Amino acid sequence: AYEVSISMPCDNIEGILLTATDNCGNVEVSYNDSQVSGGCAGHIIRDFVAVDECGNEAYAQQVIILVDEVAPVITAGPEDMVIECDQEVPGCNVELISYEDNCTEVDVTCADVVTAGDCPQEYTITRTYTAEDNCGNASTFIQTISVVDTTMPWIEYVGEDATIECDQEIPAAEAYVGDNCGEATWTASEEIIDGECANEYTLVRTYNVVDECGNTNSAVQTIVVVDTTAPYFVSVAESVTIECDQDMPVPAAEVADNCGDATWTVSGVTSPGQCANEYVMVRTYTATDACGNTATAEQ
């Protein structure tokens, strides 16, 4: 007695699923299997031979439909990765997947799902490798590739340090910046540090650079403003020759400076003349600006 067609697990086909009897004695049953195509896991044609104690034989044939309900087992796959946004993202490589299966051939495929990150240059790739056998049983392996931007933007150039006179124009802020993955922008802030006099100071200009993912960089430009230019006389009382009974002219001068106000003082030195009532007075006018630069003129 036996079933002409039965189903068995593809990885467990051992065993005689047939009984035979004889009219006189014992019967020994053996079989031979032949693998044939058909179905997802294939078929086996099992040919039985029943032999009694006297060598008489009987034959039977059974079709075994192989059933595969066990998914492949993935034993190894690529590691998770974190890479910079300017690095090349590796592609799918099914050869990195190691697997075992109980019966049939296995096909490995790969699919990516991209999820946006917190900034334009960052994202996550969820890479799913699927190992599927001929009967549709499947296992998956997930690799996560995180693309990040942790590199600060670069500064190619900012305005040069300079020392300028107080009446010169302050150089405008200028910078050239960039980033490894996207755009970068810059702003400039300024701090004034007082100098040793009213017209001198130091301007410290800080350039702050930021990329689209919030990475920052900075550079400093120092501009020293000095006052080394002497004030000048707009006018000074003219030299004169007067009679000894005339009043001495009142000192008079007008001064100016390139950066601010200037003041003047006067001192006189008298030299004897040819007689008692004659002499020469030389008046020295000294102009001084707010930073101590001076100029002189004589009357």
Side-chain angles (χ1 to χ4, degrees), residues 35 40 46 64 85 89 99 137 156 170 194 197 199 205 217 234 254:
Q35 183 92 33
C40 62
R46 179 163 286 176
I64 300 175
C85 54
V89 177
Y99 59 85
N137 303 299
E156 181 176 343
I170 298 293
D194 293 336
C197 62
N199 295 325
R205 181 177 284 158
N217 200 352
V234 177
E254 182 181 354

Side-chain angles (χ1 to χ4, degrees), residues 12-275:
N12 185 17
I13 59 172
E14 299 299 324
I16 298 176
L17 303 179
L18 175 145
T19 58
T21 59
D22 189 58
N23 60 335
C24 294
N26 296 322
V27 178
E28 183 178 343
V29 177
S30 62
Y31 63 87
N32 181 62
D33 288 344
S34 301
Q35 183 92 33
V36 296
S37 61
C40 62
H43 293 170
I44 289 178
I45 302 300
R46 179 163 286 176
D47 292 304
F48 291 95
V49 177
V51 181
D52 66 14
E53 294 177 358
C54 291
N56 301 300
E57 297 180 348
Y59 303 95
Q61 192 175 72
Q62 188 177 57
V63 177
I64 300 175
I65 302 171
L66 298 179
V67 177
D68 184 1
E69 297 178 344
V70 178
V73 176
I74 297 176
T75 57
E79 295 181 352
D80 293 344
M81 301 177 64
V82 178
I83 63 174
E84 278 291 317
C85 54
D86 56 349
Q87 292 180 285
E88 183 178 358
V89 177
C92 289
N93 185 356
V94 297
E95 294 183 359
L96 298 176
I97 298 296
S98 300
Y99 59 85
E100 297 174 353
D101 190 60
N102 59 334
C103 295
T104 62
E105 294 183 356
V106 175
D107 182 41
V108 180
T109 59
C110 175
D112 287 347
V113 174
V114 178
T115 304
D118 294 333
C119 63
Q121 316 307 330
E122 294 188 340
Y123 57 94
T124 300
I125 298 174
T126 302
R127 178 166 292 167
T128 301
Y129 290 90
T130 301
E132 183 174 355
D133 64 20
N134 288 352
C135 291
N137 303 299
S139 296
T140 58
F141 180 92
I142 295 177
Q143 179 192 22
T144 300
I145 301 174
S146 300
V147 179
V148 299
D149 182 1
T150 62
T151 301
M152 70 173 61
W154 44 264
I155 300 173
E156 181 176 343
Y157 168 81
V158 298
E160 295 181 353
D161 293 346
T163 298
I164 62 173
E165 279 290 320
C166 54
D167 57 348
Q168 290 181 280
E169 185 177 355
I170 298 293
E174 58 177 338
Y176 296 98
V177 301
D179 190 52
N180 63 327
C181 294
E183 299 294 330
T185 57
W186 63 270
T187 57
S189 59
E190 296 179 350
E191 178 187 4
I192 301 295
I193 301 173
D194 293 336
E196 296 181 355
C197 62
N199 295 325
E200 293 187 340
Y201 60 92
T202 299
L203 186 150
V204 179
R205 181 177 284 158
T206 301
Y207 294 85
N208 296 298
V209 186
V210 61
D211 66 15
E212 294 175 281
C213 288
N215 301 297
T216 60
N217 200 352
S218 63
V220 174
Q221 176 191 19
T222 302
I223 300 171
V224 180
V225 179
V226 297
D227 183 0
T228 62
T229 302
Y232 58 93
F233 287 89
V234 177
S235 64
V236 176
E238 295 181 352
S239 296
V240 294
T241 299
I242 63 174
E243 282 293 322
C244 59
D245 60 349
Q246 289 181 280
D247 291 333
M248 186 66 66
V250 175
E254 182 181 354
V255 296
D257 189 54
N258 63 328
C259 294
D261 295 327
T263 59
W264 61 271
T265 59
V266 64
S267 62
V269 175
T270 300
S271 300
Q274 297 296 319
C275 62

